[in-house]
Amino acid sequence: MVTLTYNEISWLWKVQPGLTYIHGANLLAGTFKFTAQYRTLEKITDSYDLVIRFTSNGILPEVYETRGKIARMAKIAGKQIGDFHVNSDGTLCMIREDKVYSIYKNGFDLKLFINHLMTHFYWISYYGIYGKEPWIAEEHGYGYLLNKLLWTKRL
Amino acid sequence: MEKNFSQFLCNLRLTQNQREDAKKKYEGVINCLARHFYDRGRNDSDQYLFGSYKTKTAIRPIEDGSDVDVLFKIDNDSYEKYKDNASGILQECRNALKDTYSTTEEIHAWGKVVLVKFSDGTHNVEVLPAWEKSDNKFFIPNTEDCGSWETFDPRSQIASFQESIDSTDGLTRDCVMMIKNWVRNTITMKYKSFNVVQDVISFANSIYSSGKRDENYDVVVRDFFNYWVNRLSDKDERRSHFQTALNRANKAVQYEKEGKHIEASEEWRKIFDPKLFPHSDKNEERENEVNRFSTAPRPWSH
């Protein structure tokens, strides 16, 4: 299970002072803020209240948005919350399971993860504000596994 | 921007004098009709105030068409007399009012109402003669298409509006007032006040059902435009106006987050009446490090 080191916590405090590491519970909680821009698309400044729980299930922690902001964005857009990549258990789904190691080649890396959070929330904010995806998201569900199997059989 | 919006709402609200003027006028009209129909002065049960003066969503400036809407309750005898002659009751009301408001005011009767247009250029009064039914709804005359009587239920409209105000801690009322100002400022758009109220209720009850809490007005108003852009059909001629307002609101919210209050207020002053929405005169110096990226993982969900 991932636990954060003193150096990591110090670094995090500088880049995301709104997030606090709660050692006993091994989680981060607070407000994640960013100003970001993808290619030539609009610059977005936004923030989300999060709980980020480090568990022994997989490399990445469980991320929960705790203020209902994403649910509200989905309602405004007239869409389901799953369209904003929130799973039925409330966790955010930031990457397809089979692609985790393409980003986290050496296991969990806090700097990579914070950057990943920033790009993920840019996507969410952009979709909520402009009603279109800034870049294509994965298809929902496990259909990709079937496609992989069919492709493998073809070979 | 919250202060700007608070000041804007103050600029929209009627003054004490304006509210008193409106009350004096509609009570005067009802008093006149009560003397004619019942041979006595007005009492509170003779009337039912509805529309923007009842819901306290009438806004400044008072324009032509800012009418106080009030029902005058006719008795069974009057209803029986005119039940086959809808225009007759309107004409009798008009004639009764002309005796009092003889030279300086214009009085017109058509459709469903008698309009008393005051010469001071402030509030006019639109009075509907109405017969109250046992189910607490009203029968009102309609002179169009050869004339008939139709059911009108202002109480349920007022009740649903009041319910929304109570549950959203007043946000519904604030939004109605601001959106009415936007509509006035968007002169090529046709958007009736009744529909504004219904649309704001629908939005507020769905998205801010417990009020705005610690959310800012600029985000709430932006969300209203976004909500309806996502619901209006392409054929609805209001859609392009909503989209234009949304584009400006999105810019304004982003400027505000960057501390660019001047630019943010300028965007809002393109949406709302610039004579009423305050201008910000100072930006904040903020270090907004922009994270630029060109590749990113694709979000998923299972």
Side-chain angles (χ1 to χ4, degrees), chain A residues 33-46:
Chain A
K33 292 184 180 179
F34 67 93
T35 298
Q37 184 178 20
Y38 175 67
R39 298 190 181 177
T40 56
L41 296 185
E42 286 82 350
K43 185 173 26 165
I44 291 177
T45 301
D46 214 339

Side-chain angles (χ1 to χ4, degrees), chain A residues 48-105:
Chain A
Y48 291 83
D49 288 356
L50 305 178
V51 163
I52 301 168
R53 222 158 63 95
F54 297 95
T55 71
S56 46
N57 304 327
I59 296 177
L60 296 182
E62 294 171 348
V63 183
Y64 301 84
E65 186 263 310
T66 57
R67 217 171 161 221
K69 181 168 171 168
I70 299 179
R72 191 171 79 200
M73 288 160 79
K75 257 195 186 174
I76 290 169
K79 295 198 184 304
Q80 302 297 316
I81 198 167
D83 295 322
F84 281 78
H85 305 286
V86 178
N87 295 318
S88 52
D89 61 0
T91 54
L92 306 193
C93 200
M94 293 164 49
I95 190 168
R96 216 169 72 185
E97 289 162 345
D98 60 326
K99 292 189 175 179
V100 171
Y101 281 100
S102 66
I103 307 291
Y104 300 90
K105 294 177 172 46

Side-chain angles (χ1 to χ4, degrees), chain B residues 15-136:
Chain B
T15 63
Q16 177 80 0
N17 283 346
Q18 286 170 334
R19 286 197 298 274
E20 283 170 4
D21 176 65
K23 189 170 187 218
K24 192 172 151 196
K25 282 176 174 160
Y26 78 75
E27 286 186 344
V29 166
I30 297 299
N31 194 50
C32 177
L33 291 173
R35 274 194 275 107
H36 175 81
F37 281 91
Y38 306 131
D39 212 21
R40 57 159 173 77
R42 174 198 83 82
N43 64 46
D44 285 345
S45 60
D46 293 331
Q47 73 201 35
Y48 185 81
L49 187 67
F50 64 101
S52 61
Y53 285 83
K54 175 73 173 180
T55 57
K56 298 190 174 65
T57 54
I59 58 170
R60 285 191 276 162
I62 300 170
E63 290 183 344
D64 201 28
S66 297
D67 301 328
V68 182
D69 299 310
V70 63
L71 281 177
F72 172 70
K73 295 182 193 174
I74 60 173
D75 59 10
N76 290 344
D77 290 342
S78 296
Y79 173 66
E80 286 300 321
K81 185 179 170 187
Y82 289 111
K83 67 180 182 186
D84 296 319
N85 177 14
S87 68
I89 184 67
L90 290 173
Q91 291 308 320
E92 181 166 348
C93 289
R94 176 179 172 274
N95 293 339
L97 290 166
K98 265 192 165 298
D99 290 341
T100 301
Y101 301 99
S102 48
T103 51
T104 53
E105 283 75 33
E106 292 175 41
I107 302 174
H108 304 279
W110 81 96
K112 306 170 193 180
V113 306
V114 179
L115 171 66
V116 182
K117 207 166 172 182
F118 289 85
S119 57
D120 61 4
T122 59
H123 300 97
N124 298 326
V125 177
E126 268 196 2
V127 60
L128 278 73
W131 180 61
E132 190 166 8
K133 303 195 296 175
S134 56
D135 60 1
N136 286 336

Side-chain angles (χ1 to χ4, degrees), chain A residues 8-19:
Chain A
E8 284 174 324
I9 297 166
S10 295
W11 174 83
L12 187 65
W13 190 82
K14 286 179 203 155
V15 301
Q16 287 289 338
L19 287 179

Side-chain angles (χ1 to χ4, degrees), chain B residues 103-258:
Chain B
T103 51
T104 53
E105 283 75 33
E106 292 175 41
I107 302 174
H108 304 279
W110 81 96
K112 306 170 193 180
V113 306
V114 179
L115 171 66
V116 182
K117 207 166 172 182
F118 289 85
S119 57
D120 61 4
T122 59
H123 300 97
N124 298 326
V125 177
E126 268 196 2
V127 60
L128 278 73
W131 180 61
E132 190 166 8
K133 303 195 296 175
S134 56
D135 60 1
N136 286 336
K137 296 179 187 174
F138 295 93
F139 244 1
I140 58 170
N142 185 353
T143 60
E144 286 165 16
D145 295 328
C146 306
S148 60
W149 289 75
E150 60 188 47
T151 299
F152 177 49
D153 187 11
R155 287 189 170 111
S156 68
Q157 291 171 12
I158 301 293
S160 79
F161 184 73
Q162 192 58 51
E163 213 176 289
S164 182
I165 291 177
D166 291 341
S167 68
T168 64
D169 198 24
L171 182 65
T172 306
R173 177 180 284 136
D174 290 347
C175 284
V176 166
M177 290 169 66
M178 291 190 281
I179 298 305
K180 282 171 89 168
N181 179 266
W182 168 60
V183 172
R184 275 198 193 169
N185 203 41
T186 314
I187 48 179
T188 56
M189 179 173 62
K190 287 176 196 159
Y191 193 5
K192 289 185 177 175
S193 284
F194 175 78
N195 294 119
V196 169
V197 173
Q198 296 304 114
D199 291 349
V200 169
I201 290 175
S202 173
F203 160 73
N205 288 357
S206 174
I207 306 300
Y208 289 99
S209 55
S210 308
K212 76 180 186 71
R213 293 191 175 170
D214 51 0
E215 192 54 272
N216 291 332
Y217 277 117
D218 60 348
V219 170
V220 173
V221 174
R222 190 271 312 269
D223 287 350
F224 173 80
F225 293 131
N226 203 358
Y227 181 87
W228 284 107
V229 160
N230 288 313
R231 283 157 179 81
L232 292 173
S233 95
D234 290 340
K235 292 179 189 164
D236 192 319
E237 65 96 26
R238 295 173 299 164
R239 195 175 190 282
S240 64
H241 296 291
F242 269 85
Q243 185 66 64
T244 300
L246 175 59
N247 293 344
R248 288 175 173 154
N250 276 333
K251 270 192 193 169
V253 168
Q254 178 61 29
Y255 279 137
E256 182 64 15
K257 286 179 180 176
E258 294 176 25

